[in-house]
Amino acid sequence: MNIPMQWQEIFSKKIVEDFFWISLRYGTASLVALFLSAAFARLTTKEVLGQYYFILSLVAFLSVFSLPGLNTAALRSVARGGSGAVRQAVKLSFLGSFVAMPILIGYGLHLLQVGQGPFSVGLACLFLGLFYPFLYASNTWPVYYEGKLLFLPVSMRGALSTLAVAALMYGALTMGLDAFGLSCLWFFSNAIFSWFFFWRVSLKESQEKENEIMIDIPYGLGLSLQKFIINLIDNLPIFVVAYWVGYEAVAHYQIAIGFLVAILGFLTLFGSLTLPRIFSPQRSRLRDTLAQHVIVGIMSALGYLFLVEVFFQILYGNEYGESYQIAKALAVLPILLSTRIFCTNVFIAAKKSTALIMGYVTALALSLSGLLFFLSSLSFKD
């Protein structure tokens, strides 16, 4: 059967192979995340679950100071044949993370002294703040492989570390650890794996032929600001719900978007697969890349709906019935998210960060206004 040349370019052997490995990596991560969320729902209270997600969201929100845009800047350098980019990015990220330390420590001390929040949340913020530079700086290590279009090493390392951390978390849940213990175990176990993988990458970089292409720091800072806005969009609803309604509502919210987060992570990783081709001098045509994202978005939406209808109540039971209704209403979002990722990558490659930031700020204002209006209309508002 003759396949049109355009479709051969869209689904080339290399793209399908890379897509398989990236699917294996995130498929493992998605299954583990769903398993852990079900374990949380059944082995701990909604209050503890909500506190745990709040801590994770707060720490992730402050990751802007680790300059996450440097990951993309390093990817750009690696894709162009440069060496040493990962070490440059990790060093700057580590130094920038020190800015987040007093913020997180101060907030933790505030909660502990004033007593307005749960003790476990305040203690977690204080303890994680003391070690904050070690939590995020090393997560640039996959760039070394992705920039060379080597997705197998990243997939295998990511899958193995995910399974190991999940086993630790499940054991902690059966032991009845509170939000402080669970959040610290999550961050430190992931950090240990990340630093080990970075150490391995740094050895490889030191052995390569010297061809240092300095990462574009202003470019990385612009992307960091853009990612801060995205991070704010992702985490602000949790802060608002926790303040306005309570930690149990945070648990319901997180369970409702659990399947969507799994799909979004998969789409984001697929976007990282196409991003090096956009940066490369021999990049694919944008029309073909857009077609890939649209097709993957449609397939993801169908897969998402199937997962929600078949597995939601099996995993979480009737106790999270409200979350189930919300999850069904979100079925169209994977298509929109996949298209958004494509557009974001195009703007990133064109260095149009200002336009992206303005778009995200507008989206944040609209979504926050809608969320506040919805919460203010609820009958259970305190």
Side-chain angles (χ1 to χ4, degrees):
M1 182 176 62
N2 293 327
I3 302 176
M5 181 61 67
Q6 180 181 357
W7 290 98
Q8 291 183 26
E9 293 176 359
I10 293 175
F11 296 105
S12 66
K13 180 180 178 180
K14 178 60 177 174
I15 291 176
V16 172
E17 180 181 327
D18 291 344
F19 185 71
F20 170 78
W21 289 118
I22 207 170
S23 298
L24 176 64
R25 174 191 175 189
Y26 199 77
T28 302
S30 298
L31 290 176
V32 169
L34 291 175
F35 168 77
L36 277 181
S37 65
F40 267 101
R42 296 181 181 274
L43 296 177
T44 192
T45 65
K46 294 180 180 179
E47 186 75 11
V48 170
L49 178 57
Q51 293 172 11
Y52 169 78
Y53 279 127
F54 178 83
I55 295 168
L56 262 61
S57 296
L58 180 59
V59 176
F61 172 71
L62 293 175
S63 67
V64 62
F65 295 108
S66 67
L67 307 176
L70 293 177
N71 290 10
T72 305
L75 175 65
R76 192 164 175 252
S77 177
V78 174
R80 294 179 174 181
S83 63
V86 175
R87 285 178 293 174
Q88 294 176 43
V90 169
K91 179 181 179 180
L92 294 172
S93 179
F94 185 82
L95 294 175
S97 297
F98 278 93
V99 180
M101 288 181 63
I103 299 175
L104 196 56
I105 292 173
Y107 182 70
L109 289 174
H110 171 74
L111 292 180
L112 294 175
Q113 292 178 354
V114 177
Q116 293 182 345
F119 178 81
S120 59
V121 175
L123 186 61
C125 292
L126 174 61
F127 192 71
L128 291 172
L130 293 172
F131 298 93
Y132 195 85
F134 297 95
L135 301 183
Y136 281 99
S138 60
N139 64 6
T140 308
W141 68 267
V143 164
Y144 176 83
Y145 300 101
E146 293 172 348
K148 303 174 185 294
L149 302 180
L150 300 173
F151 295 97
L152 172 58
V154 178
S155 298
M156 297 304 295
R157 287 165 174 77
L160 290 175
S161 62
T162 297
L163 290 172
V165 172
L168 291 173
M169 293 298 295
Y170 183 77
L173 284 169
T174 60
M175 294 170 58
L177 265 64
D178 61 4
F180 165 73
L182 293 169
S183 58
C184 288
L185 178 61
W186 170 261
F187 278 110
F188 286 120
S189 57
N190 277 288
I192 289 172
F193 278 107
S194 183
W195 280 102
F196 174 75
F197 294 146
F198 165 68
W199 172 67
R200 296 290 297 174
V201 166
S202 65
L203 292 179
K204 291 179 180 293
E205 283 193 331
S206 63
Q207 296 171 357
E208 291 179 345
K209 181 179 179 181
E210 189 69 22
N211 183 30
E212 188 170 7
I213 299 177
M214 296 296 294
I215 59 176
D216 190 340
I217 295 178
Y219 176 64
L221 293 177
L223 291 180
S224 296
L225 180 58
Q226 169 205 319
K227 292 189 176 187
F228 167 72
I229 301 298
I230 298 175
N231 207 349
L232 188 60
I233 294 174
D234 291 338
N235 293 295
L236 190 59
I238 295 176
F239 303 148
V240 173
V241 170
Y243 173 79
W244 204 280
V245 185
Y247 291 107
E248 287 192 11
V250 173
H252 275 287
Y253 173 81
Q254 285 296 120
I255 293 297
I257 66 172
F259 284 98
L260 183 64
V261 170
I263 295 295
L264 175 59
F266 168 77
L267 293 173
T268 301
L269 285 174
F270 178 74
S272 71
L273 186 154
T274 60
L275 184 56
R277 293 181 170 86
I278 295 176
F279 281 140
S280 174
Q282 298 178 347
R283 62 185 184 182
S284 304
R285 292 180 298 177
L286 293 181
R287 183 179 61 184
D288 294 337
T289 307
L290 174 59
Q292 294 169 11
H293 278 269
V294 172
I295 293 171
V296 169
I298 294 173
M299 294 172 62
S300 299
L302 295 175
Y304 168 81
L305 191 58
F306 173 79
L307 290 173
V308 171
E309 291 290 349
V310 175
F311 293 106
F312 192 96
Q313 291 186 336
I314 294 175
L315 291 174
Y316 306 112
N318 297 325
E319 190 174 357
Y320 286 91
E322 294 179 0
S323 300
Y324 169 68
Q325 296 299 327
I326 297 173
K328 287 199 302 183
L330 303 177
V332 72
L333 286 182
I335 302 174
L336 302 177
L337 291 172
S338 184
T339 306
R340 186 198 74 176
I341 291 170
F342 164 78
C343 295
T344 300
N345 284 349
V346 172
F347 275 86
I348 288 174
K351 295 187 177 182
K352 294 184 178 180
S353 298
T354 302
L356 274 175
I357 291 171
M358 293 303 298
Y360 281 124
V361 167
T362 303
L364 174 62
L366 293 174
S367 60
L368 181 59
S369 299
L371 178 61
L372 291 174
F373 175 79
F374 172 74
L375 291 176
S376 65
S377 65
L378 296 179
S379 59
F380 55 80
K381 175 185 172 183
D382 293 335

